């Protein structure tokens, strides 16, 4: 997936688990490269809170979630081309041991600047999948 922007404001509607007191974030690319899968999601409400997030498809090409009708309406989705799927990383040392939350992606409509963390029903993903599955025996 290519990088459609360098920076965008997102209202997540207090949906990030454990950070429900925060709603406004800035999503910034970590690279000028259009192919970089890494982003920073930084809180506007509390600038000390930020997450490293990724496009999961770079690491898990078969990753797939089904968006509920309710979520599509909340995000004001008109076409799937305006949907960006991101997943929160947990950074470990060495970096190759880092994990990614595939269970609860952040779904963002880049046209409306609305996002929500979403736990799809019926999915068998985990919150601590290896970031580099081929190096760590991931699925």
């Amino acid at each position: 997936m290519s990088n459609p922007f360098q920076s965008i404001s997102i209202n997540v509607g207090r949906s990030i688990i454990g950070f429900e007191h925060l709603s406004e974030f800035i999503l910034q690319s970590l690279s000028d490269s259009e192919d970089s899968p890494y982003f920073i999601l930084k809180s506007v409400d509390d600038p000390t809170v930020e997450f490293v997030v990724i496009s999961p498809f770079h690491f898990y090409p078969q990753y797939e979630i089904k968006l509920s009708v309710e979520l599509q309406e909340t995000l004001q989705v008109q076409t799937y081309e305006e949907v960006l799927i991101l997943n929160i990383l947990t950074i470990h040392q060495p970096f190759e041991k880092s994990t990614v939350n595939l269970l609860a992606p952040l779904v963002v409509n880049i046209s409306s600047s609305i996002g929500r963390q979403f736990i799809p029903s019926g999915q068998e993903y985990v919150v601590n999948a290896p970031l580099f599955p081929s190096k760590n025996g991931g699925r």
Side-chain angles (χ1 to χ4, degrees), residues 15 18 25 40 47 49 74-75 87 91-92 112-113 118 121-122 128:
S15 67
F25 285 82
I40 292 287
V49 175
T74 298
L75 299 180
N87 298 80
I91 306 295
H92 295 285
S112 67
S113 298
F118 174 66
S121 61
N128 59 350

Side-chain angles (χ1 to χ4, degrees), residues 11-95:
N11 181 314
V12 299
R14 303 179 188 276
S15 67
I16 297 180
I17 300 166
F19 295 88
E20 292 88 353
H21 61 289
L22 304 173
S23 60
E24 295 293 328
F25 285 82
I26 302 290
L27 181 66
Q28 297 175 309
S29 175
L30 275 177
S31 170
D32 289 335
S33 168
E34 288 187 10
D35 294 328
S36 175
Y38 299 100
F39 302 86
I40 292 287
L41 186 66
K42 187 168 189 162
S43 171
V44 172
D45 304 313
D46 181 351
T48 65
V49 175
E50 62 184 33
F51 303 96
V52 177
V53 295
I54 61 159
S55 169
F57 309 105
H58 183 84
F59 302 94
Y60 287 85
Q62 303 304 317
Y63 184 72
E64 183 178 294
I65 62 168
K66 294 186 190 254
L67 304 182
S68 69
V69 172
E70 179 183 340
L71 179 65
Q72 291 178 52
E73 290 172 356
T74 298
L75 299 180
Q76 302 171 8
V77 172
Q78 301 298 314
T79 68
Y80 283 109
E81 286 77 29
E82 60 192 2
V83 174
L84 178 64
I85 306 293
L86 299 168
N87 298 80
I88 297 176
L89 290 186
T90 300
I91 306 295
H92 295 285
Q93 295 299 326
F95 184 70

Side-chain angles (χ1 to χ4, degrees), residues 84-112:
L84 178 64
I85 306 293
L86 299 168
N87 298 80
I88 297 176
L89 290 186
T90 300
I91 306 295
H92 295 285
Q93 295 299 326
F95 184 70
E96 290 78 20
K97 298 288 185 187
S98 295
T99 59
V100 57
N101 180 347
L102 294 177
L103 179 64
L106 181 65
V107 182
V108 178
N109 180 335
I110 57 174
S111 296
S112 67

